[in-house]
Amino acid sequence: MESTPRHLRDFSSFFEQAEASAILVTDVKFDDAIFLWIFFILNLRRPKEHRIKIDVFITGIKDVAAGACMAKHVFEAAKQHVANTAAGSASPAIALRVSVSKRPAKDAPRHEADTYAPYNTASSGFPQASEERIGLQFWEDLAPEPADFVAVIAQFFNFEVVDGESQSVRKHLLNYLVPKSGGVLAFQMGFNTKVPAGLDQEVWGYLCGKVKDAAASMVFISNGWSFDKSTGKPGVITPTGTFATALGAQAPGLWRHLLEAGQKETLLFGTDQMAKYLTFMAMDGVDYEAADLKGTITGMRARAGVPDESRQSVSKHLQVRFLEARASELEVNPVLDICKELHKAASDACGEKVTEYLRRAIINFEKFGQTLEGTDGQHFAVLLQTEAPVLFPVELKQGDFGMEPNFGINSSETTNMWAAQNVNVPKSLEWMEALIAP
């Protein structure tokens, strides 16, 4: 007998609690900002008697001061928007605390240069990272304090928990993610939860045990298995669509910048994925000796005139060529052609599942200017909406690329793991709009 799907609010009373707390783990990029905006708006519209504490933990970025600036900026802009649209109404008391990692990324992620630019260049209307650096707080200096709602939308495992050099697990840092009794820990599964082979059982075993002991629940969502892909492609929004237009109207200065930065990040995603293969970067599941993939790529690189330089330089070279071809209105963009050839060669040698990001790069190139990465906002709109039950009971199992949910089990009083499945893509975009509507 199939289990009845549930809403998140069936086992989490976070938004009904007069006093509640949340922890949001983020790397503060464009689609993270969409989630933060939705979450802040929902909390700012609570009854005035409510008292809410929100901790934002920043991980996985190099310029942590700019990331902290942006998180605070999103909150203040959301606060101003709600005040403007609810004239005369008192707001709940929300205490926001933004803390950063003691382990900043060694290399800046692709989104930093454009997304954080106005926080480093004295742009009017944007708080400045130079001032933020003076009083930076580190979340690891705080004692782990269980929250009612915990959301992880960044590579917390990779950057904080797993020591890449010793291949050991800093289990004590997982305690920061454990919710209160009756609380919920929500994870985007896939890239954000990837850990080195052999350590996933240790990481997940410890964390799941702690959450169960706390009498709390876990929920999972992924582009890979949560959406009915016959209804559309998850993880993207239209920059000229109604949702993006609504964001622009709610905080014009902030969202004009972020929408432009998101566009640039879409291109960077594609060229970065190509550059990994073109520079023979070691990646799980990629065997450059299989089917002479290395020789094929070497020949491809020579024919296409791709320089034999660093991954970052190759990515930059591809960006310039893509934009030049686009400006020249060429019928076929050569970078797209290279990506298609690269994807076919790599897929034939290593399999489609391994080369999923190359497939997504092709889509980004084909639809450049038409779509933006919106995964984080879309995922949590699915979890936070109350229209349709989409959560099914699961157990975790070992998959080809780490732990993944095993659907098809029946729920019981002891079930504490749930995952989203069969989500209608257009409907999820409607939920995003509904959640921020006045």
Side-chain angles (χ1 to χ4, degrees):
M1 182 177 70
E2 292 187 1
S3 293
T4 302
R6 306 276 290 276
H7 292 96
L8 178 66
R9 298 194 188 195
D10 287 337
F11 41 88
S12 170
S13 60
F14 172 75
F15 285 100
E16 287 72 46
Q17 293 173 226
E19 293 190 8
S21 57
I23 295 173
L24 314 176
V25 182
T26 173
D27 51 5
V28 208
K29 55 187 185 300
F30 171 72
D31 57 332
D32 294 56
I34 297 176
F35 160 62
L36 292 175
W37 187 262
I38 291 172
F39 190 79
F40 292 154
I41 292 286
L42 291 176
N43 280 281
L44 287 161
R45 288 177 175 159
R46 285 169 172 261
K48 64 180 181 180
E49 298 82 11
H50 283 204
R51 300 290 180 269
I52 312 302
K53 177 182 176 183
I54 301 176
D55 268 303
V56 174
F57 290 175
I58 294 177
T59 185
I61 62 174
K62 185 174 184 179
D63 191 350
V64 293
C69 271
M70 179 169 149
K72 292 179 180 180
H73 189 192
V74 172
F75 177 74
E76 291 300 328
K79 189 175 179 180
Q80 185 61 56
H81 165 66
V82 171
N84 291 342
T85 55
S89 298
S91 299
I94 298 183
L96 178 75
R97 179 170 59 182
V98 177
S99 308
V100 304
S101 174
K102 289 185 173 181
R103 301 176 183 82
K106 294 178 181 178
D107 299 313
R110 72 176 68 91
H111 71 277
E112 286 196 22
D114 296 307
T115 304
Y116 296 165
Y119 301 100
N120 285 308
T121 55
S123 298
S124 177
F126 288 79
Q128 292 301 293
S130 57
E131 298 177 9
E132 186 68 30
R133 288 189 184 93
I134 297 172
L136 277 178
Q137 291 182 293
F138 299 97
W139 54 261
E140 199 174 342
D141 287 341
L142 308 172
E145 186 176 349
D148 298 290
F149 182 81
V150 182
V152 183
I153 54 173
Q155 295 184 71
F156 186 81
F157 290 168
N158 184 39
F159 281 98
E160 309 296 347
V161 176
V162 173
D163 185 325
E165 294 184 2
S166 66
Q167 290 291 287
S168 60
V169 177
R170 304 182 185 99
K171 293 181 180 178
H172 67 286
L173 296 182
L174 291 169
N175 295 332
Y176 285 87
L177 305 183
V178 179
K180 290 181 180 178
S181 176
V184 169
L185 168 58
F187 261 110
Q188 281 184 305
M189 226 167 188
F191 182 70
N192 281 341
T193 53
K194 188 177 180 181
V195 296
L199 295 180
D200 45 3
Q201 293 277 359
E202 185 176 359
V203 170
W204 282 107
Y206 181 86
L207 180 59
C208 292
K210 284 290 186 178
V211 174
K212 186 174 183 179
D213 290 345
S217 299
M218 302 177 77
V219 297
F220 308 108
I221 188 166
S222 167
N223 279 339
W225 34 257
S226 289
F227 292 84
D228 178 356
K229 294 181 181 177
S230 69
T231 65
K233 181 181 183 297
V236 296
I237 63 171
T238 305
T240 56
T242 53
F243 177 72
T245 300
L247 289 175
Q250 291 179 353
L254 171 66
W255 285 108
R256 185 185 306 113
H257 159 66
L258 290 179
L259 288 163
E260 291 175 357
Q263 196 86 277
K264 294 174 182 177
E265 188 183 339
T266 296
L267 175 58
L268 285 172
F269 173 86
T271 59
D272 277 359
Q273 301 315 311
M274 292 177 66
K276 291 176 183 179
Y277 287 86
L278 292 169
T279 58
F280 308 110
M281 176 180 166
M283 294 178 282
D284 289 347
V286 178
D287 182 359
Y288 292 105
E289 302 304 320
D292 193 28
L293 179 59
K294 187 172 184 178
T296 301
I297 292 176
T298 300
M300 184 188 311
R301 194 170 61 183
R303 291 193 307 274
V306 176
D308 184 11
E309 297 176 356
S310 69
R311 178 163 54 92
Q312 291 80 3
S313 295
V314 168
S315 179
K316 185 65 177 177
H317 168 83
L318 294 169
Q319 292 164 41
V320 171
R321 287 183 62 178
F322 181 89
L323 292 173
E324 286 178 347
R326 183 176 170 84
S328 301
E329 298 183 348
L330 295 179
E331 186 174 341
V332 178
N333 195 302
V335 175
L336 173 58
D337 268 1
I338 298 168
C339 192
K340 287 180 176 179
E341 185 180 356
L342 184 60
H343 176 252
K344 185 180 187 310
S347 297
D348 288 347
C350 308
E352 290 284 347
K353 194 167 185 178
V354 172
T355 57
E356 167 63 16
Y357 281 175
L358 272 181
R359 185 191 68 81
R360 288 167 62 176
I362 292 172
I363 295 172
N364 280 10
F365 293 141
E366 290 177 333
K367 296 188 176 182
F368 183 73
Q370 304 172 47
T371 61
L372 288 170
E373 175 68 29
T375 297
D376 294 351
Q378 185 181 36
H379 282 188
F380 277 85
V382 168
L383 296 180
L384 297 175
Q385 56 82 30
T386 57
E387 179 181 329
V390 296
L391 295 173
F392 293 82
V394 296
E395 297 173 334
L396 290 186
K397 66 175 183 178
Q398 184 70 49
D400 293 336
F401 299 97
M403 302 300 286
E404 60 185 35
N406 176 32
F407 291 91
I409 70 168
N410 292 320
S411 63
S412 68
E413 292 183 359
T414 60
T415 300
N416 80 321
M417 292 187 189
W418 304 81
Q421 193 179 44
N422 302 325
V423 177
N424 181 283
V425 174
K427 182 60 70 174
S428 68
L429 299 175
E430 291 178 15
W431 293 332
M432 293 174 74
E433 292 182 41
L435 289 172
I436 66 169

